[in-house]
Amino acid sequence: MSIFFLPFLLFLIVLPSTNAGYWPPSPGYYPSSKFKSMSFYQGFKNLWGPNHQNVDNNGINIWLDRNSGSGFKSIKPFRSGYFGASIKLQPGYTAGVITAFYLSNNEAHPGYHDEVDIEFLGTTFGKPYTLQTNVYIRGSGDGKIIGREMKFHLWFDPTKDFHHYAILWSPREIIFLVDDVPIRRYARKSIATFPLRPMWLYGSIWDASSWATEDGKYKADYRYQPFYGKFTNFKASGCTAYSSRWCHPVSASPSRSGGLTRQQRQAMNWVHSHYLAYDYCRDSKRDHSLTPECWR
């Protein structure tokens, strides 16, 4: 065998296993399969930008241009539950644009609200989207807000197809999932650091040029408008604000008491090892006296 052929042969042998290593291990349990899908009008209504929305079959397309963005809101508030949607993002240049799916009670408690976010931070040509998760407790937008950001890159291109993104919120924990793979668990360690008041479910697309892409380095460029966010396969199941106190919170695992199984934790640890881009608890520039959950 030629010595020049040998490196090529080794490359062929190694390449398949290398590619296989960059897809999450199976979580073994699939919460999304436990909840029924709903059409848009079964669970939601327009919040703003009605002329920048198009309800199509069971989903909705919302878009941003230089005139407006758009948003929608659940009909009911919840105090716990599973909240998911299959989302497809705009390809190409999307810097400055935020496509969001989140829980909030800002309208009920302006300046003193809770929020649990899944936000897709727009990007420039050739760079991947960043998925930002965040938790606010009794925060505001006046500079006093304390963010608890964890940012991820994804193991797939979110512009090519729909993928399912979900928040599972119970009185004990918040779990963020992508295609049923847990990517983050935020445990309740104290009442002061955990949202417990009822929240509504929202989706939106808007211009956040001041911070969204590389801390505001790249702005929304309306030469590439409109910017679309496509949502379908909505799931919102749990205890509403009007449910009896006997309503049982949903679980992310086979155990009714919640928590993650060992296999789910292994899948989450894999995501953290390969795709975690930022963790507020590891940021030495942050004042961690304001986020005691980082060291408890």
Side-chain angles (χ1 to χ4, degrees), residues 202-270:
Y202 295 84
S204 64
I205 190 166
W206 54 289
D207 186 333
S209 290
S210 63
W211 64 272
T213 306
E214 299 186 32
D215 296 323
K217 180 179 179 180
Y218 297 100
K219 315 293 185 184
D221 187 337
Y222 288 101
R223 291 179 298 173
Y224 302 107
Q225 70 175 26
F227 303 101
Y228 277 88
K230 300 181 179 182
F231 295 73
T232 190
N233 191 26
F234 288 105
K235 299 189 177 191
S237 181
C239 299
T240 72
Y242 317 117
S243 298
S244 76
R245 63 190 183 95
W246 305 112
C247 181
H248 292 288
V250 299
S251 173
S253 72
S255 170
R256 193 175 190 180
S257 62
L260 296 174
T261 66
R262 180 180 179 182
Q263 192 169 345
Q264 286 176 309
R265 291 196 302 272
Q266 288 175 338
M268 183 171 68
N269 290 339
W270 182 93

Side-chain angles (χ1 to χ4, degrees), residues 29-32 34-35 81-82 168-170 173 175 177 248-260 264:
Y29 184 77
Y30 302 90
S32 66
K34 308 300 178 183
F35 305 102
Y82 176 93
L168 192 144
W169 172 40
S170 79
E173 62 193 356
I175 297 170
L177 304 110
H248 292 288
V250 299
S251 173
S253 72
S255 170
R256 193 175 190 180
S257 62
L260 296 174
Q264 286 176 309

Side-chain angles (χ1 to χ4, degrees), residues 54-101:
N54 176 35
V55 177
D56 181 17
N57 296 323
N58 291 327
I60 185 172
N61 299 334
I62 57 177
W63 61 91
L64 166 72
D65 59 27
R66 65 176 69 254
N67 296 313
S68 178
S70 188
F72 56 88
K73 175 184 178 181
S74 65
I75 296 168
K76 298 176 181 178
F78 295 83
R79 66 172 189 262
S80 67
Y82 176 93
F83 310 98
S86 295
I87 302 171
K88 185 178 180 182
L89 302 176
Q90 177 90 356
Y93 187 99
T94 55
V97 178
I98 296 286
T99 307
F101 187 64

